[in-house]
Amino acid sequence: MEPLTWFGAYAGFFGSFLAVFATLAVLAGLCSMLLALTDSSPRGSFSLFNGIAVVTLLLVGIGYIYNALSPSLSGGMELAALGKILLGLLALGVFAAMLGVFMKTFFDNPAETMGSLFALMLKLIGLTAVAWLGYTLLFAGAGFRDTLASMDPAALPTGEELAQQKRIATMQGRGILASIFMRFLPVWIALGLLFALSMAYKRKLGLYGKLFDNAIGIFGFFLVMFWVFTALFNGLFDMIATHGPLDQLSGMKNKVPGTPLRDISEGAYPFYLLGGDNLARDVFSRMVTGSVIVVMIAPLATLFAFMVGITLGLPAGYFSGPALRKGSLGMIATGVVFGLATLAALVWGGLANFLMLAVILGMLFVLMFRASLDTVLSFLANLILAFPVILLFYLLVTPEIVETGLPQYMAIVLFIFPIVFAGVLISSRFQTDPGKNRFWLMVVLIPMAVLYAVTINAPDSQINLLGPLDFFNPAPGVLVVFVSVVFVNSPTVFRIVRGLALDIHSRDYVAAAQTRGEGPWYIMLWEILPNARGPLIVDFCLRIGYTTILLGTLGFFGLGLPPESPDWGSTINEGRKLLSIYAHPALPPAFALLTLVLGLNLLADGLREESLKD
Amino acid sequence: MAKIQYDGPILEIDKLSISFFTRLREIPAVMDFSVKVAPGEAVGLVGESGCGKSTVALGVMRDLGKNGHIVGGSIKFKGRDMASMSADELRDIRGNEIAMIYQEPMASLNPAMKIGRQLMEVPMIHEGVSEEEAYNRALEVVTDVKLPDPARMLSSYPHQLSGGQQQRIVIAMALMSKPSLLILDEPTTALDVTVEAAVVELVKDLGKKYGTSMLFISHNLGLVLETCDRICVMYSGEAVERGDIKEVFNNMQHPYTQALFRSIPLPGADKNARPLVAIPGNFPLPHERPKGCNFGPRCDYFEEGRCDQGFVPMAAADETGSHETRCLKFTEIDWKAPLIAAETKTKGEIGEVVLSMQNLKKYYEVAANALFGGGEKRVVKANETLSFEARESETLAIVGESGCGKSTFAKVLMGLETATDGQILLDGQGIGNTPIEKRDTKTVADVQMVFQNPFDTLNPSMTVGRQIIRALEIFDIGNSDAERRERMLKLLDLVKLPRAFADRMPRQLSGGQKQRVGIARAFAGDARIVVADEPVSALDVSVQAAVTDLLMEIQREHKTTLLFISHDLSIVRYLSDRVMVMYLGHVVELGTTDEVFSPPYHPYTEALLSAVPIADTSIEKQHIVLEGDIPSAMNPPSGCPFQTRCRWKSEVPGGLCDSEIPPVKDMGNGHQIKCHLSNEILKKMDPVIKIAAE
């Protein structure tokens, strides 16, 4: 069976157009870049960096086109070919420079003229790509009809075989890219619906609606939602991926993209779209499945980090004066909590742990009578931030440490914050109406407490109090990764929230709330927090991006998640080992990680820009 | 860079139109605006916020940003059309020929650069002089702006100077290159009154000395009267009246100018007999301007079918053509017709003593090192032996500049801080040492506050109705949500806001409307004592009158005791029954309004009265300018707090002012003055404000 080509059956026709446009684009881009350099006027539409970025991008693009057009090279590009391309580009550059000098006599502002020519070429390239995609998708089956016509009617295979052959031929007509496009069809439909609805009602949707006024924001949101939908369809309906993430098929080890399966079982997808990795698993399916892990853990971990950061940052920014006063309720509460913690350490952790904890907490307790809450908490936050993150992770996920239950103890502390947050949020709001207060507290806190209990409880570990009642256990390693990510992220969130609280604290509406006798938590959560939401939302988006990278880093170091996990970091690490021989297993997850983080950053940018308007 | 020699008018703006372009539409900010500035002349540009006066200034500087464009007319500087100048030529003119002084001095100075460097930059860039010469010139200019110890000033950073000193430095910087035109955009709005008076005085003197022309942008009519030769009144992007300053003030020819004057409290206005007249309606948004005369919908003389028919041109209002007005009916209006008071309101009967302060003291301890508690501790004496009484339905004004302790006093009264010493009695019960969380709901609801900044007083992420309902919930008023909502709507009625505002977000409201919501919230629990902390100072003149009247009306109805904190003596004189003047934590004078506003004065009161600009040409003011700044409360002067700036100090024998805090003197009738001056000298004082014989 023929392997898939990148661009399918109609690449030749469109490819020649593409080659012409791309050459012109490179020429115009180089020209305008050089002109803008020589003529230092601010009107030159292309800065040096823009130019370099464009050229690099085109270089990669040309490499791919070259790859696709030359049938002799299946997949990998020879280094010699790259050298030739570079030489060609250099020659083009020299030519462009000469052309630029020549053009100065003809045009008022040749840099701008060339810039617009470049932009025009980019548009033409885009149009050609769309035309190619449309044509390929529409006429992919045409080749099979010819084959069918030429076949001997007597020797026609059975209907099922025929259907299978037709399917394979259609796919071959499409090529790899168009086939991948078709695999993502549910995602495209969902994205189309979402964007159409959002655009139609954008005036009524507040900040989210305003995002659709901003090109950067739209693009970022598009990228993010692409992966969210991919994760949803794959995780819930098992739709996008072509094979199982752990399926190993014989003969597919390190095979290049588009390789057909050796023997196609009933209904199985007949190709490895993006090739196979060194254990003969489908790279495309692993990338798609990996998105589920990333899209689930990253936002949730970030949310938890925000809960911790907010719950600690607000009082740090709000209260001035010593953290504890002699005989105050706070002193008693802190004393009890600290005492219980040391006692717990004595019972379960042994003498050494007990002594260590007792000394640390004792010092902290004494310190809190002198220093403000802000000073104490900021000091602790700095302590965590000063510690090398990767080292901390190594420490946390070492099996010996996991066995002592440390991650679980940390989970006990860190996961309590959302409950505290929700509880305080509700009770400060309904403080004047005890009936409502009790009702909402029960509705919200009971499910949260149950979830909390079953999450931190795990069979065969230090904390196993629930026994058979424990109905939910996160996948192995997930809790550890989750706790580490929350632990590392929360100090930064804490500092942001604290700064915002300090700022908003001086507003008159806070003073107004104080003068009508509101409690401190009401002021923090209902007067200060909602007005700090702008920067927090932006930071939330950015931080999901960081967390995604952090997850990637963790996976890359083989920390936390099991080695066969398809998450992007682990797969990049797997692929890295054979990168110089087979580049294709490492690139798709890397590209996926890049687009998601890029999308989150652009989304944050767009949100920031739009929230500043008005 | 040589200066351009030119004899004609320095600046000629002719039919200038400026628009801002947004994604949705074009927003015209300035339309058909013309003004001429002759050499050595000061022209005032007056109008409410949003009328386009700052846009004109930015248009002159060609600094309109990305989406602002000049869509018509021309700006000629020394006879040259600025539109035809290149970017390089404009750069040379800015800072060299035209200098600008902005409102916020701290924002105009680079905080990371020493003052001297910043000043020296100007001639070094524009004239290429040597460093040494630039330094000498900087020294000279800093001496000119009357800063003490110029050499030290040059080697300090902006944050080491006070606001007044910073603004002087900004002025010095503007004068470094001896510009032909100085644009001042609300140069004193951020400063205290006495500092403002000194800065204005300085600008006037320097203008004379350097022969600089000035374009003075301000919302304060009194300030413009004191500084300018000619005036141009703007409304909603247009100049509505233009002319010689005396001519415009005494013989106004446009209904807007007239309405503006009627809405500011001048000496002689009285809250009961002659209340202020607020301009009805709201300032039109730039894209919702009416057809015809922009002021039409708010004008008393509006005539349908005539005033709303199309463009209204500027017309000469006198023979020489120097006084112009943009009104179709100015010849028909009887400008001398006396204002008919809508209704004379009876003053509320002043009742029992509600609140009484006895020797209230509030000290703060500032430790040098928070974590380890080391270092010396310093005591800031924010309030020093405050004693006074406030009665039912009385307005007690508390006057003083920033740092005088009025906000601290308010905090102690509200219970946000506890008093260091002394008593606050509310209905005979001591509350001075009870923090707010220990006060019962009734006490909390009784003492409420109206805040200064309308843009800050409401929580931006909660609807107006929700905020008032929350206050009702906290004060335990109403038994159900429906009942509270009904009461909230009634409160909106009380402050004369439409009920539909309940579901609006604060950002959809104008400044005055927000302030009304703030007042409604304060009165949610039927407050008996309301502390109003400069409730109108951040509002536009025409809105100020309406909000002030509202406060007075609610006071009359509810018999509220109003503690009115303000630095604006005109409004204090207009509405208060008694006045308390504070300086550096001390009450320096206390008495009825008439007593405080007429001699004998405390020397500080005298200076304060003199500093307030009054927009009335018939007023003669004694001219007293205080030297220096208010001392820091961290490091108050020994003896009398005011002795460092007092002009009467030499009249006290034996250097008593330096060594002893003066005793409180009773001048009869409860009029108290805290001063060492003997009664004879106090009695000899001349009144600061005199209404000249007509």
Side-chain angles (χ1 to χ4, degrees):
Chain A
M1 210 194 304
E2 286 286 305
L4 296 185
T5 56
W6 279 99
F7 289 92
Y10 305 99
F13 175 71
F14 291 99
S16 47
F17 276 103
L18 269 184
V20 172
F21 293 147
T23 316
L24 271 176
V26 173
L27 204 62
L30 273 173
C31 247
S32 100
M33 181 184 102
L34 288 167
L35 286 168
L37 258 185
T38 48
D39 166 30
S40 66
S41 87
R43 271 171 298 178
S45 58
F46 265 84
S47 71
L48 177 62
F49 289 107
N50 266 339
I52 290 176
V54 162
V55 170
T56 324
L57 254 172
L58 281 168
L59 200 81
V60 176
I62 285 181
Y64 266 99
I65 294 168
Y66 182 85
N67 252 346
L69 292 183
S70 63
S72 59
L73 296 163
S74 53
M77 190 203 302
E78 279 173 18
L79 234 77
L82 194 71
K84 273 180 210 158
I85 290 176
L86 275 176
L87 262 177
L89 271 177
L90 197 69
L92 272 179
V94 174
F95 180 60
M98 283 157 61
L99 195 67
V101 174
F102 175 67
M103 264 190 318
K104 273 201 172 171
T105 52
F106 284 97
F107 294 107
D108 252 0
N109 190 348
E112 209 173 283
T113 318
M114 282 292 108
S116 47
L117 183 64
F118 172 74
L120 180 71
M121 283 308 129
L122 284 191
K123 271 178 203 149
L124 281 177
I125 290 174
L127 272 178
T128 317
V130 171
W132 160 79
L133 187 66
Y135 195 81
T136 306
L137 288 180
L138 276 177
F139 298 103
F144 181 67
R145 247 171 273 141
D146 297 340
T147 337
L148 199 64
S150 67
M151 268 200 271
D152 181 10
L156 262 188
T158 61
E160 261 174 42
E161 266 176 17
L162 199 66
Q164 177 77 336
Q165 270 185 29
K166 188 184 173 194
R167 197 167 150 230
I168 292 170
T170 311
M171 253 180 244
Q172 278 165 339
R174 279 184 194 148
I176 297 172
L177 290 181
S179 296
I180 291 180
F181 183 88
M182 286 309 284
R183 278 314 284 184
F184 280 113
L185 199 60
V187 176
W188 302 129
I189 293 171
L191 277 173
L193 274 176
L194 176 72
F195 273 67
L197 282 176
S198 306
M199 284 290 202
Y201 296 105
K202 71 176 176 183
R203 293 279 160 249
K204 291 176 190 161
L205 291 172
L207 182 61
Y208 169 75
K210 272 199 281 176
L211 189 66
F212 287 86
D213 286 338
N214 186 309
I216 288 177
I218 292 180
F219 185 57
F221 187 62
F222 176 84
L223 288 178
V224 173
M225 287 321 287
F226 174 83
W227 285 114
V228 169
F229 280 133
T230 304
L232 271 179
F233 284 117
N234 188 62
L236 294 181
F237 310 112
D238 210 6
M239 279 174 107
I240 316 284
T242 53
H243 300 86
L246 299 179
D247 293 355
Q248 292 168 299
L249 297 179
S250 72
M252 297 309 285
K253 183 176 169 185
N254 291 330
K255 282 289 179 289
V256 294
T259 311
L261 301 190
R262 209 172 259 177
D263 46 356
I264 305 157
S265 58
E266 193 95 344
Y269 201 78
F271 296 95
Y272 267 11
L273 280 175
L274 291 174
D277 64 7
N278 67 336
L279 290 175
R281 295 169 298 196
D282 182 25
V283 172
F284 175 74
S285 303
R286 282 176 72 74
M287 176 188 79
V288 170
T289 318
S291 74
V292 181
I293 299 177
V294 173
V295 167
M296 259 173 61
I297 296 187
L300 208 61
T302 315
L303 188 70
F304 271 67
F306 263 75
M307 290 287 133
V308 177
I310 289 171
T311 320
L312 292 177
L314 282 177
Y318 183 78
F319 291 113
S320 52
L324 299 177
R325 278 193 194 82
K326 283 193 184 86
S328 70
L329 199 70
M331 185 197 96
I332 298 165
T334 319
V336 167
V337 170
F338 281 11
L340 281 178
T342 36
L343 209 67
L346 182 65
V347 174
W348 288 295
L351 193 66
N353 283 348
F354 162 73
L355 279 178
M356 197 171 74
L357 202 65
V359 168
I360 292 176
L361 290 184
M363 270 167 61
L364 208 60
F365 193 64
V366 173
L367 198 68
M368 281 165 93
F369 285 97
R370 302 217 69 146
S372 66
L373 191 64
D374 185 19
T375 319
V376 174
L377 288 177
S378 295
F379 180 72
L380 290 178
N382 287 341
L383 220 60
I384 298 173
L385 286 175
F387 210 78
V389 177
I390 295 298
L391 206 61
L392 201 68
F393 279 134
Y394 264 110
L395 216 72
L396 283 174
V397 299
T398 317
E400 286 77 15
I401 300 268
V402 175
E403 245 166 59
T404 63
L406 184 68
Q408 269 177 308
Y409 293 129
M410 282 171 71
I412 292 182
V413 176
L414 292 177
F415 291 179
I416 197 106
F417 281 100
I419 302 181
V420 172
F421 180 82
V424 176
L425 192 74
I426 293 167
S427 62
S428 65
R429 169 69 179 76
F430 293 116
Q431 134 206 8
T432 51
D433 193 342
K436 255 192 200 165
N437 194 10
R438 265 198 299 279
F439 170 73
W440 282 110
L441 279 178
M442 281 204 291
V443 165
V444 175
L445 288 195
I446 290 175
M448 279 180 94
V450 170
L451 259 178
Y452 172 75
V454 296
T455 309
I456 57 165
N457 190 72
D460 309 322
S461 73
Q462 297 284 334
I463 301 163
N464 189 9
L465 304 173
L466 293 177
L469 285 175
D470 189 2
F471 59 84
F472 168 73
N473 282 310
V478 167
L479 186 77
V480 177
V481 169
F482 203 90
V483 166
S484 326
V485 169
V486 173
F487 184 66
V488 173
N489 266 322
S490 43
T492 331
V493 181
F494 161 81
R495 292 171 68 118
I496 296 171
V497 175
R498 167 195 168 267
L500 288 168
L502 271 177
D503 175 26
I504 299 176
H505 187 18
S506 62
R507 300 291 165 88
D508 279 349
Y509 51 83
V510 172
Q514 285 172 333
T515 55
R516 64 169 186 262
E518 299 279 12
W521 281 102
Y522 176 85
I523 297 176
M524 281 184 247
L525 292 173
W526 291 94
E527 303 276 347
I528 294 179
L529 187 59
N531 297 306
R533 68 179 186 277
L536 286 184
I537 290 173
V538 172
D539 186 72
F540 188 73
C541 287
L542 282 177
R543 200 157 292 283
I544 296 177
Y546 300 151
T547 312
T548 312
I549 291 183
L550 200 59
L551 284 176
T553 317
L554 283 181
F556 185 82
F557 284 116
L559 300 176
L561 298 173
E564 75 278 6
S565 151
D567 74 288
W568 294 337
S570 308
T571 40
I572 293 171
N573 185 34
E574 287 281 299
R576 166 191 69 94
K577 294 168 185 161
L578 294 173
L579 196 66
S580 53
I581 320 170
Y582 303 108
H584 65 266
L587 288 180
F591 185 71
L593 186 67
L594 178 129
T595 44
L596 177 58
V597 175
L598 178 74
L600 284 162
N601 285 352
L602 293 182
L603 176 65
D605 269 0
L607 280 174
R608 180 181 6 231
E609 216 166 280
E610 287 304 318
S611 66
L612 283 181
K613 285 179 189 170
D614 174 352
Chain B
M1 189 67 210
K3 308 261 169 181
I4 307 157
Q5 293 303 314
Y6 186 70
D7 293 331
I10 297 285
L11 184 73
E12 292 166 89
I13 300 178
D14 190 36
K15 297 202 165 35
L16 178 73
S17 295
I18 298 174
S19 288
F20 288 95
F21 292 88
T22 65
R23 242 175 306 191
L24 289 177
R25 56 171 87 79
E26 172 188 352
I27 295 176
V30 175
M31 296 164 297
D32 190 36
F33 177 84
S34 311
V35 79
K36 265 197 194 93
V37 185
E41 190 183 39
V43 175
L45 215 53
V46 184
E48 295 173 81
S49 55
C51 73
K53 49 192 196 306
S54 293
T55 312
V56 170
L58 293 175
V60 173
M61 295 297 267
R62 293 259 152 181
D63 184 19
L64 288 166
K66 240 192 327 197
N67 45 8
H69 293 288
I70 294 178
V71 289
S74 66
I75 304 172
K76 278 190 188 147
F77 179 71
K78 292 193 172 175
R80 295 175 64 208
D81 191 350
M82 291 186 75
S84 64
M85 291 187 197
S86 71
D88 287 338
E89 282 176 300
L90 281 172
R91 214 177 5 252
D92 280 333
I93 283 187
R94 286 182 203 135
N96 188 27
E97 293 268 20
I98 307 177
M100 191 152 174
I101 296 170
Y102 296 91
Q103 180 171 354
E104 202 53 63
M106 193 62 203
S108 336
L109 294 172
N110 181 345
M113 221 167 144
K114 282 186 179 166
I115 300 279
R117 275 269 140 218
Q118 300 191 39
L119 287 176
M120 283 154 67
E121 250 186 1
V122 180
M124 282 166 77
I125 288 173
H126 285 295
E127 294 162 54
V129 303
S130 72
E131 202 162 311
E132 195 180 348
E133 198 193 325
Y135 182 81
N136 289 336
R137 216 172 317 151
L139 205 62
E140 187 191 329
V141 180
V142 173
T143 320
D144 273 354
V145 294
K146 294 184 187 141
L147 279 170
D149 201 356
R152 190 179 58 85
M153 284 290 160
L154 288 184
S155 60
S156 43
Y157 286 98
H159 70 267
Q160 293 168 314
L161 309 183
S162 71
Q165 288 173 332
Q166 283 172 0
Q167 194 62 302
R168 279 167 198 259
I169 292 291
V170 174
I171 293 171
M173 197 187 285
L175 292 173
M176 272 307 276
S177 54
K178 305 201 169 54
S180 326
L181 177 67
L182 197 58
I183 301 175
L184 301 106
D185 191 354
E186 308 254 5
T188 57
T189 310
L191 304 176
D192 272 319
V193 211
T194 57
V195 182
E196 172 185 81
V199 170
V200 166
E201 172 90 4
L202 174 79
V203 169
K204 254 165 48 181
D205 286 355
L206 290 176
K208 275 192 198 110
K209 184 179 168 190
Y210 288 86
T212 317
S213 309
M214 283 191 270
L215 192 60
F216 196 98
I217 298 171
S218 180
H219 68 276
N220 190 331
L221 285 166
L223 208 56
V224 171
L225 174 66
E226 283 189 5
T227 47
C228 297
D229 309 313
R230 291 201 303 127
I231 185 175
C232 176
V233 183
M234 285 187 79
Y235 180 77
S236 190
E238 290 177 329
V240 292
E241 189 166 2
R242 188 162 55 217
D244 194 66
I245 193 134
K246 290 241 162 58
E247 183 68 18
V248 172
F249 271 58
N250 294 335
N251 189 15
M252 54 199 79
Q253 294 291 325
H254 193 279
Y256 175 65
T257 322
Q258 190 188 37
L260 210 55
F261 274 94
R262 285 182 177 171
S263 63
I264 54 175
L266 295 173
D270 181 89
K271 63 174 165 178
N272 296 313
R274 245 200 73 191
L276 301 180
V277 185
I279 306 178
N282 278 321
F283 200 80
L285 292 172
H287 55 273
E288 289 168 1
R289 291 193 180 116
K291 203 163 172 259
C293 178
N294 279 343
F295 189 58
R298 302 172 74 186
C299 182
D300 291 341
Y301 309 103
F302 181 71
E303 193 180 313
E304 216 168 309
R306 184 168 167 205
C307 292
D308 53 3
Q309 283 310 305
F311 180 71
V312 183
M314 242 1 195
D318 62 356
E319 297 79 35
T320 57
S322 68
H323 187 182
E324 293 170 283
T325 174
R326 197 185 288 275
C327 180
L328 292 170
K329 300 180 63 183
F330 72 93
T331 47
E332 299 153 36
I333 298 169
D334 178 13
W335 296 103
K336 298 282 179 228
L339 179 65
I340 305 146
E343 51 182 309
T344 310
K345 280 155 183 155
T346 43
K347 196 176 173 332
E349 205 50 44
I350 290 180
E352 293 296 300
V353 172
V354 181
L355 180 77
S356 127
M357 298 260 170
Q358 289 163 6
N359 286 323
L360 182 78
K361 277 183 196 169
K362 178 67 195 171
Y363 294 172
Y364 290 100
E365 272 187 10
V366 185
N369 185 328
L371 187 54
F372 300 107
E376 55 175 326
K377 277 193 179 159
R378 297 167 82 179
V379 177
V380 178
K381 299 180 176 176
N383 282 154
E384 191 73 78
T385 54
L386 235 63
S387 300
F388 68 89
E389 283 174 349
R391 293 162 184 278
E392 193 182 66
S393 67
E394 178 186 50
T395 309
L396 175 68
I398 299 165
V399 179
E401 295 172 271
S402 54
C404 74
K406 40 188 196 200
S407 306
T408 308
F409 146 74
K411 272 186 190 162
V412 176
L413 175 60
M414 307 305 298
L416 300 181
E417 306 269 357
T418 49
T420 311
D421 194 18
Q423 270 296 341
I424 303 177
L425 299 177
L426 177 68
D427 297 329
Q429 271 180 315
I431 55 168
N433 284 314
T434 328
I436 189 144
E437 55 268 29
K438 299 226 172 88
R439 291 187 183 180
D440 58 67
T441 316
K442 176 86 182 71
T443 316
V444 173
D446 271 354
V447 188
Q448 279 296 301
M449 191 154 170
V450 176
F451 293 88
Q452 176 177 12
N453 188 348
F455 299 96
D456 229 25
T457 181
L458 300 180
N459 184 342
S461 22
M462 230 188 248
T463 61
V464 165
R466 176 76 213 123
Q467 305 204 29
I468 299 176
I469 290 179
R470 178 70 195 181
L472 293 172
E473 280 175 7
I474 273 288
F475 295 152
D476 220 359
I477 290 168
N479 296 319
S480 64
D481 285 353
E483 218 170 286
R484 278 191 280 268
R485 185 165 173 85
E486 190 46 41
R487 164 111 181 128
M488 179 268 292
L489 293 174
K490 284 215 180 89
L491 279 166
L492 284 182
D493 295 345
L494 177 74
V495 294
K496 302 197 172 74
L497 285 177
R499 287 186 167 204
F501 275 33
D503 299 318
R504 300 236 178 127
M505 293 306 263
R507 71 185 134 82
Q508 294 165 293
L509 270 58
S510 72
Q513 290 165 342
K514 284 183 202 179
Q515 208 58 320
R516 282 165 193 265
V517 178
I519 293 171
R521 189 178 56 187
F523 280 94
D526 288 320
R528 293 168 56 214
I529 299 172
V530 169
V531 182
D533 187 0
E534 312 230 11
V536 295
S537 68
L539 301 176
D540 271 320
V541 192
S542 66
V543 185
Q544 273 189 9
V547 174
T548 318
D549 269 356
L550 174 74
L551 266 176
M552 293 298 103
E553 210 180 303
I554 298 179
Q555 181 186 33
R556 272 190 291 268
E557 267 172 43
H558 288 68
K559 292 187 185 300
T560 321
T561 307
L562 202 60
L563 299 182
F564 192 88
I565 299 178
S566 178
H567 68 267
D568 183 353
L569 285 169
S570 320
I571 207 143
V572 164
R573 179 207 285 259
Y574 167 71
L575 58 76
S576 59
D577 301 310
R578 286 198 302 143
V579 179
M580 180 166 103
V581 184
M582 285 181 76
Y583 187 80
L584 270 187
H586 292 261
V587 179
V588 294
E589 188 166 356
L590 174 66
T592 62
T593 309
D594 288 341
E595 282 166 352
V596 172
F597 278 78
S598 57
Y601 304 111
H602 184 278
Y604 176 64
T605 318
E606 186 189 25
L608 211 52
L609 280 172
S610 158
V612 178
I614 296 171
D616 191 338
T617 48
S618 63
I619 294 284
E620 270 175 28
K621 248 182 13 178
Q622 209 182 333
H623 209 73
I624 305 161
V625 172
L626 288 183
E627 295 300 322
D629 284 314
I630 304 171
S632 151
M634 284 268 235
N635 189 13
S638 62
C640 172
F642 189 57
Q643 52 112 336
T644 51
R645 299 167 83 195
C646 183
R647 66 174 191 141
W648 294 88
K649 195 177 161 187
S650 57
E651 305 280 332
V652 177
L656 221 55
C657 298
D658 287 323
S659 54
E660 270 176 53
I661 293 180
V664 178
K665 254 187 217 163
D666 199 329
M667 306 299 290
N669 237 343
H671 181 200
Q672 299 170 350
I673 294 181
K674 203 181 218 177
C675 187
H676 283 303
L677 284 174
S678 63
N679 284 355
E680 291 75 56
I681 297 175
L682 284 174
K683 285 210 173 92
K684 271 199 303 195
M685 280 184 174
D686 292 323
V688 178
I689 299 168
K690 271 186 281 193
I691 298 177
E694 299 269 340

